[in-house]
Amino acid sequence: MNNKVFITGANGFIGSYICKKLIDRGIDFLGMVGPGANNLIDGGNYVECALNDKEKLHKIISDFKPTVVLHLAAIANPTFGDVTQIYDVNVTGSENLLNTIASICSRDTRVVLVSTAGVYGNQDIPFLKENCPYNPANHYAYSKMVMEFLSKNYEDKLNICIVRPFNMIGYGQQDNFLIPKLVKAFVNKQNVLKLGNLETERDYVDVEFAANVFLELILKEKLEYNVYNICSGNGIKGSDILDILFRITNYMPEIQISSEFVRKNEIWRMVGDTSRVSKLIGKTIKPKKIEEILTEMVEKYKNEKFI
């Protein structure tokens, strides 16, 4: 396929990994980033624009004429304090993007919308399937649920695929997410570590695996489904993460459970069903085990000049 890929949030955690893979494969792409953005991968093409800048967004897409759009840009932190901004970016911004693409591009244009596994919330089954009912537990997940509903208005105009990543982790993730916070605390031999509930189970997926899945979703000629999980199918508790990091670093800080990090309406188990994603990527690409991911992160953070 002669793809021209347009990526929003191209300088974000997962976006940077995807852009590098596109560059390595010589695929034509244009990455949209916010004003004054950094962390741009060498060799890529980038343009600054906000999702809610309708006129500029229209011109960018008209000039580039993408065949595939990957919509990564979002406020992705469930504890982000400005609720209005969450909906402004994740809902209104997504609507602007979809409306703009539909007004310019053809019906065959594939639009991969990145949602979240958080839309499932608490369910009565051990592995969350793509056909589970919605049960979001925070504003971030609500905003993504609304985005998914809005996309239905464009199903007759665009080829839309929704992706629900579980907890993507790896080197380069912001410190306000749990895993990089923990890894840096162990690497730096932090004396006291304040945390929330350690008994919740999460499905952690290494960012390289996630990037490979996204590559399949944006480049594969035909997709069998219109909704995909990105998950490993393995549930890991916070207490397990601490034990693994202790084995890797031979250090354990004092752990304090703080009410500031305990979420209301806690999701106790969020582990994905891998059936669809495994069928998509085949047997050659597999997610790394949590021990391998954490070991790699520890080594990379150790080698940083400033942590």
Side-chain angles (χ1 to χ4, degrees), residues 97-124:
L97 179 66
L98 286 166
N99 189 49
T100 302
I101 300 165
S103 69
I104 297 168
C105 301
S106 73
R107 170 68 180 83
D108 295 328
T109 304
R110 179 173 298 162
V111 181
V112 179
L113 297 176
V114 182
S115 182
T116 173
V119 299
Y120 298 124
N122 282 306
Q123 303 277 346
D124 291 330

PDB file of all heavy atoms in Angstrom, residues 97-124:
ATOM      1  N   LEU A  97     -11.037  16.848  14.582  1.00  0.00           N
ATOM      2  CA  LEU A  97     -10.187  16.064  13.704  1.00  0.00           C
ATOM      3  C   LEU A  97     -11.025  15.189  12.765  1.00  0.00           C
ATOM      4  O   LEU A  97     -10.793  15.175  11.548  1.00  0.00           O
ATOM      5  CB  LEU A  97      -9.256  15.185  14.539  1.00  0.00           C
ATOM      6  CG  LEU A  97      -8.313  14.279  13.753  1.00  0.00           C
ATOM      7  CD1 LEU A  97      -7.294  15.095  12.970  1.00  0.00           C
ATOM      8  CD2 LEU A  97      -7.604  13.298  14.679  1.00  0.00           C
ATOM      9  N   LEU A  98     -11.986  14.476  13.314  1.00  0.00           N
ATOM     10  CA  LEU A  98     -12.830  13.601  12.493  1.00  0.00           C
ATOM     11  C   LEU A  98     -13.600  14.388  11.439  1.00  0.00           C
ATOM     12  O   LEU A  98     -13.691  13.981  10.275  1.00  0.00           O
ATOM     13  CB  LEU A  98     -13.806  12.834  13.387  1.00  0.00           C
ATOM     14  CG  LEU A  98     -13.213  11.691  14.213  1.00  0.00           C
ATOM     15  CD1 LEU A  98     -14.184  11.245  15.292  1.00  0.00           C
ATOM     16  CD2 LEU A  98     -12.831  10.524  13.322  1.00  0.00           C
ATOM     17  N   ASN A  99     -14.152  15.521  11.841  1.00  0.00           N
ATOM     18  CA  ASN A  99     -14.921  16.350  10.922  1.00  0.00           C
ATOM     19  C   ASN A  99     -14.037  16.866   9.784  1.00  0.00           C
ATOM     20  O   ASN A  99     -14.445  16.895   8.617  1.00  0.00           O
ATOM     21  CB  ASN A  99     -15.544  17.520  11.685  1.00  0.00           C
ATOM     22  CG  ASN A  99     -16.528  18.292  10.840  1.00  0.00           C
ATOM     23  OD1 ASN A  99     -17.404  17.715  10.200  1.00  0.00           O
ATOM     24  ND2 ASN A  99     -16.388  19.599  10.822  1.00  0.00           N
ATOM     25  N   THR A 100     -12.814  17.257  10.141  1.00  0.00           N
ATOM     26  CA  THR A 100     -11.878  17.767   9.137  1.00  0.00           C
ATOM     27  C   THR A 100     -11.478  16.674   8.159  1.00  0.00           C
ATOM     28  O   THR A 100     -11.481  16.882   6.936  1.00  0.00           O
ATOM     29  CB  THR A 100     -10.623  18.350   9.816  1.00  0.00           C
ATOM     30  OG1 THR A 100     -11.013  19.383  10.724  1.00  0.00           O
ATOM     31  CG2 THR A 100      -9.667  18.916   8.787  1.00  0.00           C
ATOM     32  N   ILE A 101     -11.137  15.499   8.684  1.00  0.00           N
ATOM     33  CA  ILE A 101     -10.741  14.392   7.810  1.00  0.00           C
ATOM     34  C   ILE A 101     -11.879  14.016   6.878  1.00  0.00           C
ATOM     35  O   ILE A 101     -11.688  13.819   5.667  1.00  0.00           O
ATOM     36  CB  ILE A 101     -10.324  13.163   8.636  1.00  0.00           C
ATOM     37  CG1 ILE A 101      -9.144  13.488   9.547  1.00  0.00           C
ATOM     38  CG2 ILE A 101      -9.952  11.996   7.717  1.00  0.00           C
ATOM     39  CD1 ILE A 101      -8.917  12.445  10.629  1.00  0.00           C
ATOM     40  N   ALA A 102     -13.094  13.923   7.424  1.00  0.00           N
ATOM     41  CA  ALA A 102     -14.258  13.522   6.627  1.00  0.00           C
ATOM     42  C   ALA A 102     -14.558  14.518   5.514  1.00  0.00           C
ATOM     43  O   ALA A 102     -15.051  14.136   4.445  1.00  0.00           O
ATOM     44  CB  ALA A 102     -15.476  13.356   7.533  1.00  0.00           C
ATOM     45  N   SER A 103     -14.256  15.791   5.756  1.00  0.00           N
ATOM     46  CA  SER A 103     -14.545  16.821   4.752  1.00  0.00           C
ATOM     47  C   SER A 103     -13.509  16.874   3.637  1.00  0.00           C
ATOM     48  O   SER A 103     -13.755  17.481   2.593  1.00  0.00           O
ATOM     49  CB  SER A 103     -14.637  18.197   5.425  1.00  0.00           C
ATOM     50  OG  SER A 103     -13.364  18.618   5.901  1.00  0.00           O
ATOM     51  N   ILE A 104     -12.362  16.229   3.851  1.00  0.00           N
ATOM     52  CA  ILE A 104     -11.262  16.316   2.889  1.00  0.00           C
ATOM     53  C   ILE A 104     -10.924  14.974   2.261  1.00  0.00           C
ATOM     54  O   ILE A 104     -10.718  14.878   1.050  1.00  0.00           O
ATOM     55  CB  ILE A 104     -10.000  16.890   3.569  1.00  0.00           C
ATOM     56  CG1 ILE A 104     -10.250  18.313   4.057  1.00  0.00           C
ATOM     57  CG2 ILE A 104      -8.796  16.846   2.635  1.00  0.00           C
ATOM     58  CD1 ILE A 104      -9.182  18.847   4.975  1.00  0.00           C
ATOM     59  N   CYS A 105     -10.864  13.932   3.073  1.00  0.00           N
ATOM     60  CA  CYS A 105     -10.332  12.642   2.631  1.00  0.00           C
ATOM     61  C   CYS A 105     -11.432  11.718   2.114  1.00  0.00           C
ATOM     62  O   CYS A 105     -12.621  11.956   2.314  1.00  0.00           O
ATOM     63  CB  CYS A 105      -9.587  11.971   3.776  1.00  0.00           C
ATOM     64  SG  CYS A 105      -8.213  12.968   4.417  1.00  0.00           S
ATOM     65  N   SER A 106     -11.008  10.620   1.498  1.00  0.00           N
ATOM     66  CA  SER A 106     -11.955   9.691   0.894  1.00  0.00           C
ATOM     67  C   SER A 106     -12.520   8.725   1.933  1.00  0.00           C
ATOM     68  O   SER A 106     -12.013   8.609   3.050  1.00  0.00           O
ATOM     69  CB  SER A 106     -11.267   8.891  -0.211  1.00  0.00           C
ATOM     70  OG  SER A 106     -10.377   7.943   0.343  1.00  0.00           O
ATOM     71  N   ARG A 107     -13.554   8.001   1.528  1.00  0.00           N
ATOM     72  CA  ARG A 107     -14.201   7.019   2.387  1.00  0.00           C
ATOM     73  C   ARG A 107     -13.242   5.910   2.787  1.00  0.00           C
ATOM     74  O   ARG A 107     -13.395   5.280   3.824  1.00  0.00           O
ATOM     75  CB  ARG A 107     -15.417   6.432   1.650  1.00  0.00           C
ATOM     76  CG  ARG A 107     -16.073   5.209   2.301  1.00  0.00           C
ATOM     77  CD  ARG A 107     -16.741   5.567   3.603  1.00  0.00           C
ATOM     78  NE  ARG A 107     -17.362   4.417   4.237  1.00  0.00           N
ATOM     79  CZ  ARG A 107     -16.729   3.540   5.000  1.00  0.00           C
ATOM     80  NH1 ARG A 107     -15.430   3.653   5.208  1.00  0.00           N
ATOM     81  NH2 ARG A 107     -17.385   2.545   5.564  1.00  0.00           N
ATOM     82  N   ASP A 108     -12.222   5.670   1.981  1.00  0.00           N
ATOM     83  CA  ASP A 108     -11.264   4.600   2.264  1.00  0.00           C
ATOM     84  C   ASP A 108     -10.209   4.991   3.289  1.00  0.00           C
ATOM     85  O   ASP A 108      -9.408   4.149   3.701  1.00  0.00           O
ATOM     86  CB  ASP A 108     -10.554   4.183   0.970  1.00  0.00           C
ATOM     87  CG  ASP A 108     -11.511   3.570  -0.034  1.00  0.00           C
ATOM     88  OD1 ASP A 108     -12.488   2.932   0.411  1.00  0.00           O
ATOM     89  OD2 ASP A 108     -11.282   3.728  -1.247  1.00  0.00           O
ATOM     90  N   THR A 109     -10.181   6.247   3.693  1.00  0.00           N
ATOM     91  CA  THR A 109      -9.176   6.696   4.650  1.00  0.00           C
ATOM     92  C   THR A 109      -9.357   5.978   5.985  1.00  0.00           C
ATOM     93  O   THR A 109     -10.420   6.050   6.598  1.00  0.00           O
ATOM     94  CB  THR A 109      -9.267   8.210   4.876  1.00  0.00           C
ATOM     95  OG1 THR A 109      -9.148   8.875   3.614  1.00  0.00           O
ATOM     96  CG2 THR A 109      -8.170   8.699   5.815  1.00  0.00           C
ATOM     97  N   ARG A 110      -8.316   5.285   6.414  1.00  0.00           N
ATOM     98  CA  ARG A 110      -8.389   4.593   7.703  1.00  0.00           C
ATOM     99  C   ARG A 110      -8.048   5.566   8.816  1.00  0.00           C
ATOM    100  O   ARG A 110      -7.018   6.243   8.765  1.00  0.00           O
ATOM    101  CB  ARG A 110      -7.440   3.403   7.749  1.00  0.00           C
ATOM    102  CG  ARG A 110      -7.477   2.676   9.107  1.00  0.00           C
ATOM    103  CD  ARG A 110      -6.662   1.414   9.088  1.00  0.00           C
ATOM    104  NE  ARG A 110      -7.205   0.477   8.118  1.00  0.00           N
ATOM    105  CZ  ARG A 110      -6.526  -0.565   7.626  1.00  0.00           C
ATOM    106  NH1 ARG A 110      -5.299  -0.784   8.006  1.00  0.00           N
ATOM    107  NH2 ARG A 110      -7.087  -1.373   6.755  1.00  0.00           N
ATOM    108  N   VAL A 111      -8.896   5.610   9.834  1.00  0.00           N
ATOM    109  CA  VAL A 111      -8.659   6.456  10.994  1.00  0.00           C
ATOM    110  C   VAL A 111      -8.591   5.558  12.218  1.00  0.00           C
ATOM    111  O   VAL A 111      -9.579   4.921  12.593  1.00  0.00           O
ATOM    112  CB  VAL A 111      -9.765   7.517  11.170  1.00  0.00           C
ATOM    113  CG1 VAL A 111      -9.466   8.388  12.377  1.00  0.00           C
ATOM    114  CG2 VAL A 111      -9.893   8.375   9.912  1.00  0.00           C
ATOM    115  N   VAL A 112      -7.405   5.482  12.821  1.00  0.00           N
ATOM    116  CA  VAL A 112      -7.209   4.673  14.021  1.00  0.00           C
ATOM    117  C   VAL A 112      -7.307   5.604  15.225  1.00  0.00           C
ATOM    118  O   VAL A 112      -6.455   6.453  15.439  1.00  0.00           O
ATOM    119  CB  VAL A 112      -5.838   3.963  13.992  1.00  0.00           C
ATOM    120  CG1 VAL A 112      -5.644   3.147  15.263  1.00  0.00           C
ATOM    121  CG2 VAL A 112      -5.724   3.076  12.755  1.00  0.00           C
ATOM    122  N   LEU A 113      -8.373   5.442  15.983  1.00  0.00           N
ATOM    123  CA  LEU A 113      -8.629   6.275  17.157  1.00  0.00           C
ATOM    124  C   LEU A 113      -8.153   5.552  18.411  1.00  0.00           C
ATOM    125  O   LEU A 113      -8.588   4.426  18.683  1.00  0.00           O
ATOM    126  CB  LEU A 113     -10.124   6.584  17.291  1.00  0.00           C
ATOM    127  CG  LEU A 113     -10.771   7.395  16.167  1.00  0.00           C
ATOM    128  CD1 LEU A 113     -12.272   7.510  16.410  1.00  0.00           C
ATOM    129  CD2 LEU A 113     -10.154   8.778  16.059  1.00  0.00           C
ATOM    130  N   VAL A 114      -7.284   6.205  19.152  1.00  0.00           N
ATOM    131  CA  VAL A 114      -6.741   5.576  20.353  1.00  0.00           C
ATOM    132  C   VAL A 114      -7.601   5.933  21.555  1.00  0.00           C
ATOM    133  O   VAL A 114      -7.650   7.077  21.986  1.00  0.00           O
ATOM    134  CB  VAL A 114      -5.282   5.994  20.578  1.00  0.00           C
ATOM    135  CG1 VAL A 114      -4.719   5.278  21.804  1.00  0.00           C
ATOM    136  CG2 VAL A 114      -4.448   5.672  19.341  1.00  0.00           C
ATOM    137  N   SER A 115      -8.278   4.933  22.074  1.00  0.00           N
ATOM    138  CA  SER A 115      -9.126   5.086  23.257  1.00  0.00           C
ATOM    139  C   SER A 115      -8.339   4.590  24.465  1.00  0.00           C
ATOM    140  O   SER A 115      -7.145   4.817  24.586  1.00  0.00           O
ATOM    141  CB  SER A 115     -10.434   4.321  23.051  1.00  0.00           C
ATOM    142  OG  SER A 115     -11.309   4.473  24.142  1.00  0.00           O
ATOM    143  N   THR A 116      -8.981   3.884  25.367  1.00  0.00           N
ATOM    144  CA  THR A 116      -8.320   3.347  26.556  1.00  0.00           C
ATOM    145  C   THR A 116      -9.072   2.136  27.076  1.00  0.00           C
ATOM    146  O   THR A 116     -10.308   2.060  26.942  1.00  0.00           O
ATOM    147  CB  THR A 116      -8.242   4.402  27.671  1.00  0.00           C
ATOM    148  OG1 THR A 116      -7.735   3.802  28.870  1.00  0.00           O
ATOM    149  CG2 THR A 116      -9.621   4.980  27.995  1.00  0.00           C
ATOM    150  N   ALA A 117      -8.354   1.208  27.688  1.00  0.00           N
ATOM    151  CA  ALA A 117      -9.000   0.078  28.351  1.00  0.00           C
ATOM    152  C   ALA A 117      -9.828   0.544  29.536  1.00  0.00           C
ATOM    153  O   ALA A 117     -10.683  -0.196  30.034  1.00  0.00           O
ATOM    154  CB  ALA A 117      -7.951  -0.931  28.804  1.00  0.00           C
ATOM    155  N   GLY A 118      -9.587   1.785  29.970  1.00  0.00           N
ATOM    156  CA  GLY A 118     -10.364   2.326  31.079  1.00  0.00           C
ATOM    157  C   GLY A 118     -11.852   2.418  30.809  1.00  0.00           C
ATOM    158  O   GLY A 118     -12.647   2.526  31.753  1.00  0.00           O
ATOM    159  N   VAL A 119     -12.262   2.364  29.536  1.00  0.00           N
ATOM    160  CA  VAL A 119     -13.707   2.431  29.240  1.00  0.00           C
ATOM    161  C   VAL A 119     -14.427   1.196  29.765  1.00  0.00           C
ATOM    162  O   VAL A 119     -15.639   1.214  29.954  1.00  0.00           O
ATOM    163  CB  VAL A 119     -13.985   2.602  27.728  1.00  0.00           C
ATOM    164  CG1 VAL A 119     -13.370   3.889  27.209  1.00  0.00           C
ATOM    165  CG2 VAL A 119     -13.508   1.399  26.921  1.00  0.00           C
ATOM    166  N   TYR A 120     -13.695   0.093  30.004  1.00  0.00           N
ATOM    167  CA  TYR A 120     -14.331  -1.116  30.532  1.00  0.00           C
ATOM    168  C   TYR A 120     -14.664  -0.975  32.014  1.00  0.00           C
ATOM    169  O   TYR A 120     -15.682  -1.505  32.481  1.00  0.00           O
ATOM    170  CB  TYR A 120     -13.408  -2.326  30.358  1.00  0.00           C
ATOM    171  CG  TYR A 120     -13.071  -2.675  28.942  1.00  0.00           C
ATOM    172  CD1 TYR A 120     -11.749  -2.754  28.523  1.00  0.00           C
ATOM    173  CD2 TYR A 120     -14.063  -2.960  28.002  1.00  0.00           C
ATOM    174  CE1 TYR A 120     -11.407  -3.102  27.223  1.00  0.00           C
ATOM    175  CE2 TYR A 120     -13.741  -3.302  26.702  1.00  0.00           C
ATOM    176  CZ  TYR A 120     -12.412  -3.368  26.314  1.00  0.00           C
ATOM    177  OH  TYR A 120     -12.090  -3.704  25.026  1.00  0.00           O
ATOM    178  N   GLY A 121     -13.792  -0.312  32.769  1.00  0.00           N
ATOM    179  CA  GLY A 121     -13.992  -0.203  34.211  1.00  0.00           C
ATOM    180  C   GLY A 121     -14.004  -1.575  34.870  1.00  0.00           C
ATOM    181  O   GLY A 121     -13.369  -2.521  34.410  1.00  0.00           O
ATOM    182  N   ASN A 122     -14.721  -1.681  35.974  1.00  0.00           N
ATOM    183  CA  ASN A 122     -14.845  -2.971  36.674  1.00  0.00           C
ATOM    184  C   ASN A 122     -15.874  -3.856  35.983  1.00  0.00           C
ATOM    185  O   ASN A 122     -16.994  -3.424  35.713  1.00  0.00           O
ATOM    186  CB  ASN A 122     -15.260  -2.736  38.129  1.00  0.00           C
ATOM    187  CG  ASN A 122     -14.094  -2.288  38.988  1.00  0.00           C
ATOM    188  OD1 ASN A 122     -13.063  -2.945  39.040  1.00  0.00           O
ATOM    189  ND2 ASN A 122     -14.245  -1.150  39.659  1.00  0.00           N
ATOM    190  N   GLN A 123     -15.474  -5.080  35.700  1.00  0.00           N
ATOM    191  CA  GLN A 123     -16.363  -6.060  35.060  1.00  0.00           C
ATOM    192  C   GLN A 123     -16.318  -7.356  35.857  1.00  0.00           C
ATOM    193  O   GLN A 123     -15.435  -7.560  36.692  1.00  0.00           O
ATOM    194  CB  GLN A 123     -15.914  -6.314  33.614  1.00  0.00           C
ATOM    195  CG  GLN A 123     -15.831  -5.084  32.731  1.00  0.00           C
ATOM    196  CD  GLN A 123     -17.168  -4.675  32.128  1.00  0.00           C
ATOM    197  OE1 GLN A 123     -18.137  -5.444  32.143  1.00  0.00           O
ATOM    198  NE2 GLN A 123     -17.233  -3.465  31.588  1.00  0.00           N
ATOM    199  N   ASP A 124     -17.273  -8.252  35.573  1.00  0.00           N
ATOM    200  CA  ASP A 124     -17.362  -9.511  36.305  1.00  0.00           C
ATOM    201  C   ASP A 124     -16.653 -10.655  35.599  1.00  0.00           C
ATOM    202  O   ASP A 124     -16.890 -11.827  35.914  1.00  0.00           O
ATOM    203  CB  ASP A 124     -18.836  -9.892  36.521  1.00  0.00           C
ATOM    204  CG  ASP A 124     -19.533  -8.949  37.487  1.00  0.00           C
ATOM    205  OD1 ASP A 124     -18.842  -8.414  38.379  1.00  0.00           O
ATOM    206  OD2 ASP A 124     -20.750  -8.734  37.333  1.00  0.00           O
TER     207      ASP A 124
END
